[in-house]
Amino acid sequence: MPKAIGYTPAWLSKPNPGYKIFNGAPSAANASYSSTSANTSRKRVSKPGPRRTIARRGTEIFTAVGKEIRWADLVYLKEAWESKQPKERRSRRQLEEDEEDEESQYDGDHAQGYRTLKTPVADDIRQIIISPHSNYLAILTTHTVHIGVLPESSHLTAPDTAPMKLKTYTLGPTTHVTSQSGIASALWHPLGVQGQCLVTVTEDAIVRVWELTIGNHSSFDKPTLSIDLKKLADGTSLDQDFGASVSGQSKGFTPDSIEMEVASACFAGRNSGGWSPMTLWVAMKEGDVYALCPLLPERWSPPATLIPSLSISVIAKAATMEGQLNVSQQQSRLAQQQIAWMGDLDNQEPIYQEYGSGEPHVEVYIRPAKPGKVPKLQGPFEFELAPEESEDGLDDMLTDIFVIGPKIDSEELMSGEEDDLELPGIDEEGGLSVGVVCLLRPSGRLCICLDLDGVEAQWLPKSKSKALRILDEADPPELLTFQVLDTLKSEEMWDGNWPMFSQDVNSGYSLFVTNTSTVTFISLSPWVFRLETELSGEAAGGEFRLDVLVKGQSTLRERVYTGKAKPNDHTLSLAASTVICDPDLGYFLLTATQYGPQSISFELPEVEDYNPIQRSCSNTYESEPDKPLILCEPRPVYQAPHELEQPSKLPDLLKNLRHSPHKRILKENVRLSKATFQIMNEAHIILGDETHHIGVAAAELFRRCELLQIDLQSQIKKAHDVAQRVEAIAGEEDEEGTGTISTDEAIDTRIMRAKGRQKELTERVERLKKKVLKGTAGKELTPREREWVDEIRKYEWKVLGEGEPVSVSVGGRREVAREPFERFKEVQELEKVILEDVKALAGALVPSTPGNGNGNEGPGEKMGVKVPSEVRRRKEREIMKALERETALVEGAKLRLERLSLV
């Protein structure tokens, strides 16, 4: 989700040149106010339609203002404005550059970054579309198309800011005229050679393909392919004529003229997979969607991955059908047509053409003649899981369409290859293996649909045959409605609203929706990659996860701009947004009204795996000063309403009256007459409108002043909170109030205080101990304490033999009892005596029998006494048990005595 960090900067605001580029002078129709056309001009309402008046070439922009085209280099304008700022507001780098160059390149006598381009159009420009190679500009009014040849940037950047005449060619001088139907869309074909193929779609559903060649005027006079979609919808054979009607031919009313009135058309991206780059999607105002595939110019240039991927899919599909018995005749005929089309393409030898020196060459193919050059019109598409029909008619109509083609399956394309090659045109971002179709309605509702079946190339049969009877049996194509979002509130809807799509530059699955006064950011990324994982995987529980994914509100929707246009104010309608991402400008969105530009600056998206080159700074390097901390959320800069700057129309009325038949009334006294009443009525209408607009603007100014006070109080409060946090982190003031104490000093002080407190507590405890000992000294023992002492002495005598002996009563007399330690000592003495006797006997006696020679003779055997081994072992065991028992008694008594002494 992009985060707005700023709105229209100062270099695009009054009175800088960046603002004047978008601000057009009042047209003659609005400035003059004739007495004969006063009432009719008030009732005239402009026809709703798309307003795409901003195109870009890198950081250069072209904007249409009335009948003119303004050019500007945004980076040049920004740097020029920064160079003219006071020194305290400029960076150190700019100051050093100005010291080195006494004369700045941004002075008035040097090159300027803006220019006016004159065009031969007869009406206000409604759309400008730049070509894929940024060398041509399609200029559209409501009914006419002109192709302008854009000069190089070096020719546009010049000290002279006088208007420059743009070299233009009129496209279809007898076709696109005011007497014919208006133009709905003009698209540069993504597969055109050198980006010189233009496809125009008129409101009466006629598609024309123009293959332009600069210098060849005939290529601008007649299209190479013309298709009437109304005829094609009812067509049954390729032998029929589907071309447009003769220019000037009278047209009667038909139901198709209403149901097939075109609102918009579009192609998918050049690097999308399948048949998408050559599929023209057409959205009708009444809500129907059609597809025309394949729509190609006579000469076309595909990307490197297009033909191999199509060949693999067509061959795989035909091989799958051969092993099946239930294949319909419609599917079989379609597979044969696609194989014939691919066969014609494989038999061609591509023509290699270069754009210029240093640029790679491209492969140019000729459009296959089989099965035919006019494809079948697929549609109208049926919408599965579509929302219920609304009572509001705006929810059933369409204004714009945007299609994201499926991704290229690189694994299938590289199957069988030994090495993995990096193929151009494959998006590293990945994506969805099915197409996404986005539709916009006048109510601001956005419908996101999935093309699960995929649009493939289809043609009508060549002649009348059995295949004709199968056409009606084929099921209509379908689109699955994935999600429906609203971008407008109920009070913001009106009949003249015409929402438009604008693609984001950072992601293929992000876009902006521009309404009359709002801009909304839409991102499909949260669910696109998760859905692709579920569609491509075979893990258990996929149905449950898909159900959770579909029911969850996963599409990101965030309004990034809300203007101040009123629902019935046509003059403040926003143009389609243009998105720029440049190191000098940042992440930048630009739109405009008739009275000035509106822009939004976003935070740059986080780039993963970005490791900048680490360079060591020199000793003389001085870093740029840090940017100030943003305490409050950014908001659009207030600009005074344009009504306060508009000149009054009364002087024009008086000027027109001086040249009218009623000029004598201005010199005579006021008389009650019809002419006087008419003049007074017109003047009243002008004054009433102007005073009303000025009053509304003044009220808006008063409300903004009140809001400014509230915002100022909020900012002061936030600044106070931040100051308190900074003081808490940085430290406190010293006792004298001369400065602040650093964080380290404050921590050291706290540690010293804690140590001193601990020392005081230790001394206090020692003093308390001494007082306790003094208080208990000299007191007699209690009976229990005496008993405890006697018991300790008794155990001490029994175990250790220390202290006084304890006497017991035996037979009426007191005797000293034998204690365990005495018995233990007696046993030890007996042991010593017995061992000495045994050794003495062993040395005096001589053994009667020789030993066995192994040295294991027992003592009985050495003395000649034969003692049975069992008796000897039994006696030894008895002695050892007695010793162990006595030892255990003594040890237990010692342990008990020690515990008692500790207590």
Side-chain angles (χ1 to χ4, degrees):
M1 181 73 68
K3 181 181 179 181
I5 58 176
Y7 289 87
T8 307
W11 53 274
L12 280 179
S13 302
K14 297 178 185 178
N16 299 301
Y19 176 81
K20 298 177 181 178
I21 291 170
F22 296 88
N23 186 16
S27 61
N30 295 331
S32 63
Y33 201 95
S34 64
S35 60
T36 57
S37 62
N39 296 331
T40 57
S41 63
R42 288 172 52 85
K43 298 179 181 179
R44 186 179 303 168
V45 178
S46 61
K47 183 179 179 181
R51 185 169 176 264
R52 304 180 184 273
T53 56
I54 302 177
R56 76 179 186 93
R57 180 174 63 179
T59 59
E60 305 172 44
I61 61 167
F62 299 86
T63 178
V65 180
K67 301 176 184 179
E68 298 178 346
I69 293 180
R70 313 282 179 83
W71 169 86
D73 189 341
L74 297 180
V75 175
Y76 197 99
L77 291 177
K78 179 182 178 182
E79 294 179 351
W81 177 82
E82 291 177 348
S83 67
K84 297 178 182 178
Q85 297 306 304
K87 292 185 177 181
E88 59 270 11
R89 299 182 59 183
R90 296 163 62 184
S91 63
R92 185 180 295 104
R93 178 177 57 85
Q94 294 174 344
L95 292 176
E96 292 176 356
E97 292 178 356
D98 292 345
E99 291 177 359
E100 295 177 359
D101 302 332
E102 295 182 358
E103 288 186 305
S104 174
Q105 61 174 334
Y106 304 110
D107 293 339
D109 297 337
H110 289 72
Q112 303 298 323
Y114 55 90
R115 200 71 180 271
T116 299
L117 305 178
K118 291 290 186 179
T119 59
V121 297
D123 200 357
D124 289 345
I125 300 173
R126 301 292 294 270
Q127 301 184 63
I128 53 176
I129 301 98
I130 199 165
S131 64
H133 296 284
S134 303
N135 49 358
Y136 303 111
L137 188 69
I139 307 169
L140 280 69
T141 64
T142 55
H143 291 80
T144 61
V145 181
H146 292 77
I147 306 299
V149 181
L150 297 179
E152 296 292 336
S153 302
S154 58
H155 298 162
L156 294 171
T157 304
D160 185 16
T161 57
M164 174 188 291
K165 185 177 181 181
L166 184 65
K167 184 178 181 180
T168 59
Y169 296 86
T170 303
L171 187 69
T174 60
T175 303
H176 296 306
V177 292
T178 56
S179 60
Q180 297 296 321
S181 181
I183 299 172
S185 295
L187 311 168
W188 293 98
H189 201 294
L191 302 181
V193 179
Q194 295 184 355
Q196 296 182 357
C197 178
L198 186 69
V199 179
T200 60
V201 184
T202 55
E203 294 179 354
D204 58 350
I206 296 178
V207 179
R208 295 180 175 90
V209 180
W210 307 80
E211 298 181 51
L212 309 178
T213 303
I214 300 300
N216 183 7
H217 290 272
S218 61
S219 62
F220 294 88
D221 295 338
K222 186 177 180 181
T224 57
L225 181 61
S226 177
I227 303 173
D228 190 343
L229 299 184
K230 296 187 294 294
K231 294 180 181 179
L232 188 59
D234 301 329
T236 58
S237 173
L238 281 175
D239 299 334
Q240 297 175 339
D241 182 16
F242 300 110
S245 303
V246 180
S247 178
Q249 183 179 354
S250 61
K251 299 178 181 179
F253 173 78
T254 60
D256 290 341
S257 63
I258 299 298
E259 295 181 357
M260 299 192 69
E261 186 178 0
V262 177
S264 180
C266 74
F267 284 99
R270 173 181 173 86
N271 294 325
S272 55
W275 301 87
S276 295
M278 59 186 75
T279 302
L280 177 67
W281 292 83
V282 183
M284 305 299 175
K285 290 184 179 179
E286 294 299 319
D288 293 334
V289 177
Y290 294 86
L292 201 62
C293 177
L295 181 66
L296 290 172
E298 186 68 27
R299 299 171 66 252
W300 59 291
S301 174
T305 57
L306 180 60
I307 294 179
S309 62
L310 288 179
S311 178
I312 292 173
S313 62
V314 169
I315 294 174
K317 182 179 179 181
T320 304
M321 289 184 179
E322 290 181 357
Q324 297 180 359
L325 300 176
N326 55 350
V327 178
S328 63
Q329 296 182 3
Q330 175 76 8
Q331 296 176 349
S332 178
R333 181 177 62 84
L334 176 61
Q336 293 176 3
Q337 289 178 340
Q338 293 180 358
I339 290 176
W341 190 85
M342 289 300 304
D344 193 347
L345 194 63
D346 292 338
N347 294 332
Q348 296 183 24
E349 289 294 334
I351 303 172
Y352 295 94
Q353 187 172 349
E354 294 183 357
Y355 287 153
S357 59
E359 296 185 4
H361 63 270
V362 296
E363 297 180 352
V364 180
Y365 289 85
I366 304 299
R367 180 179 59 207
K370 297 178 182 179
K373 62 180 182 180
V374 178
K376 176 187 174 183
L377 182 63
Q378 304 179 40
F381 284 78
E382 292 187 355
F383 294 93
E384 293 185 3
L385 303 178
E388 297 180 359
E389 295 184 0
S390 175
E391 297 179 358
D392 190 357
L394 298 178
D395 291 335
D396 299 330
M397 302 177 65
L398 294 178
T399 59
D400 202 2
I401 183 173
F402 182 80
V403 178
I404 305 174
K407 69 173 183 178
I408 299 176
D409 192 352
S410 58
E411 295 181 359
E412 181 181 0
L413 192 60
M414 296 301 298
S415 62
E417 300 290 339
E418 295 181 357
D419 300 330
D420 294 335
L421 303 177
E422 294 183 0
L423 297 177
I426 296 181
D427 192 359
E428 297 180 357
E429 182 186 12
L432 198 59
S433 57
V434 298
V436 181
V437 181
C438 301
L439 304 173
L440 266 179
R441 305 188 184 278
S443 62
R445 176 167 293 181
L446 169 64
C447 297
I448 303 173
C449 305
L450 300 179
D451 182 20
L452 299 179
D453 297 332
V455 175
E456 298 182 352
Q458 294 187 22
W459 295 267
L460 294 172
K462 281 191 174 182
S463 59
K464 296 182 179 180
S465 61
K466 295 180 180 180
L468 298 179
R469 295 194 297 267
I470 307 174
L471 293 177
D472 297 334
E473 300 177 1
D475 296 332
E478 297 177 346
L479 293 176
L480 177 62
T481 304
F482 183 82
Q483 197 169 6
V484 179
L485 303 173
D486 289 326
T487 60
L488 289 179
K489 301 177 182 178
S490 58
E491 60 270 13
E492 296 174 340
M493 301 178 186
W494 65 293
D495 296 341
N497 186 34
W498 195 276
M500 296 164 289
F501 285 113
S502 300
Q503 189 173 6
D504 192 10
V505 295
N506 292 318
S507 175
Y509 289 93
S510 298
L511 47 94
F512 292 88
V513 176
T514 307
N515 290 282
T516 301
S517 59
T518 64
V519 179
T520 306
F521 172 77
I522 304 293
S523 177
L524 313 180
S525 300
W527 59 266
V528 162
F529 303 103
R530 292 167 55 194
L531 180 60
E532 176 61 21
T533 303
E534 299 298 338
L535 294 178
S536 59
E538 298 181 356
E543 296 182 0
F544 173 75
R545 291 191 297 272
L546 283 174
D547 184 66
V548 173
L549 178 62
V550 172
K551 292 182 179 179
Q553 299 294 332
S554 51
T555 300
L556 293 179
R557 173 187 55 182
E558 181 72 19
R559 178 175 292 189
V560 296
Y561 177 78
T562 301
K564 57 182 180 179
K566 302 175 181 61
N568 56 355
D569 193 351
H570 297 261
T571 59
L572 292 179
S573 298
L574 294 174
S577 303
T578 300
V579 186
I580 304 173
C581 190
D582 183 77
D584 295 319
L585 296 175
Y587 189 12
F588 192 73
L589 181 141
L590 180 65
T591 182
T593 64
Q594 183 181 351
Y595 298 98
Q598 302 291 338
S599 66
I600 310 171
S601 298
F602 302 105
E603 281 187 349
L604 288 172
E606 296 181 359
V607 181
E608 298 180 357
D609 301 332
Y610 176 68
N611 296 320
I613 300 176
Q614 301 293 334
R615 294 187 177 95
S616 59
C617 300
S618 62
N619 297 329
T620 60
Y621 174 76
E622 295 182 1
S623 60
E624 293 288 338
D626 296 335
K627 295 183 179 179
L629 178 65
I630 300 177
L631 300 179
C632 303
E633 295 182 358
R635 56 178 180 144
V637 178
Y638 172 74
Q639 295 182 358
H642 62 88
E643 289 86 357
L644 300 178
E645 301 177 356
Q646 295 296 319
S648 176
K649 297 179 182 178
L650 278 177
D652 296 330
L653 176 63
L654 294 176
K655 181 179 179 181
N656 294 331
L657 286 175
R658 291 190 182 98
H659 300 283
S660 67
H662 306 291
K663 61 182 178 180
R664 60 180 180 83
I665 298 178
L666 299 177
K667 300 179 180 179
E668 298 177 355
N669 296 329
V670 177
R671 297 180 181 180
L672 299 179
S673 63
K674 185 177 180 181
T676 304
F677 175 76
Q678 182 179 356
I679 294 174
M680 296 294 291
N681 188 29
E682 292 178 1
H684 182 269
I685 291 173
I686 294 175
L687 287 176
D689 289 345
E690 291 181 352
T691 54
H692 172 72
H693 292 313
I694 292 175
V696 172
E700 177 66 20
L701 178 59
F702 178 76
R703 287 191 294 268
R704 293 303 295 263
C705 290
E706 289 184 341
L707 183 61
L708 181 61
Q709 296 179 358
I710 298 173
D711 292 342
L712 182 59
Q713 293 176 0
S714 175
Q715 292 182 11
I716 292 174
K717 183 179 179 180
K718 291 181 178 179
H720 179 67
D721 295 341
V722 172
Q724 289 182 346
R725 294 180 182 179
V726 170
E727 290 179 358
I729 296 174
E732 302 176 352
E733 293 186 357
D734 54 7
E735 296 178 355
E736 298 178 358
T738 58
T740 58
I741 302 174
S742 64
T743 305
D744 295 339
E745 294 177 355
I747 293 174
D748 293 340
T749 303
R750 290 182 62 186
I751 293 174
M752 295 301 295
R753 290 177 182 175
K755 288 182 178 180
R757 180 65 175 170
Q758 184 180 6
K759 185 177 180 181
E760 292 178 359
L761 291 175
T762 304
E763 294 176 353
R764 185 178 177 185
V765 170
E766 292 296 333
R767 290 196 299 269
L768 290 174
K769 285 183 178 180
K770 290 179 180 179
K771 289 182 180 180
V772 170
L773 293 175
K774 290 180 180 179
T776 57
K779 292 185 179 180
E780 296 182 358
L781 297 178
T782 62
R784 286 186 173 274
E785 291 177 344
R786 294 194 194 97
E787 293 177 0
W788 183 72
V789 173
D790 293 341
E791 187 177 0
I792 293 297
R793 290 175 178 175
K794 181 176 64 175
Y795 281 105
E796 183 181 9
W797 165 255
K798 288 184 177 182
V799 176
L800 301 178
E802 298 177 357
E804 297 179 359
V806 181
S807 61
V808 295
S809 179
V810 179
R813 62 180 181 274
R814 306 289 296 181
E815 295 182 359
V816 179
R818 296 182 63 191
E819 300 300 333
F821 73 90
E822 295 177 349
R823 298 173 60 189
F824 179 70
K825 290 181 179 179
E826 183 179 355
V827 171
Q828 287 181 341
E829 292 176 356
L830 290 175
E831 181 183 7
K832 293 179 180 179
V833 171
I834 292 171
L835 290 176
E836 290 176 357
D837 294 341
V838 170
K839 290 180 181 179
L841 293 173
L845 298 177
V846 179
S848 57
T849 58
N852 52 14
N854 55 7
N856 295 329
E857 292 85 355
E861 295 176 352
K862 292 180 180 180
M863 291 184 297
V865 181
K866 293 184 178 180
V867 181
S869 59
E870 295 179 358
V871 176
R872 185 173 62 252
R873 291 181 186 137
R874 185 170 62 252
K875 293 295 182 180
E876 291 178 356
R877 283 196 298 268
E878 290 177 358
I879 293 171
M880 295 304 297
K881 286 181 181 181
L883 290 174
E884 291 176 358
R885 184 167 56 253
E886 296 297 335
T887 304
L889 290 174
V890 173
E891 294 295 332
K894 284 183 179 181
L895 292 175
R896 187 175 180 185
L897 182 60
E898 290 176 357
R899 286 197 299 269
L900 291 174
S901 63
L902 292 176
V903 174

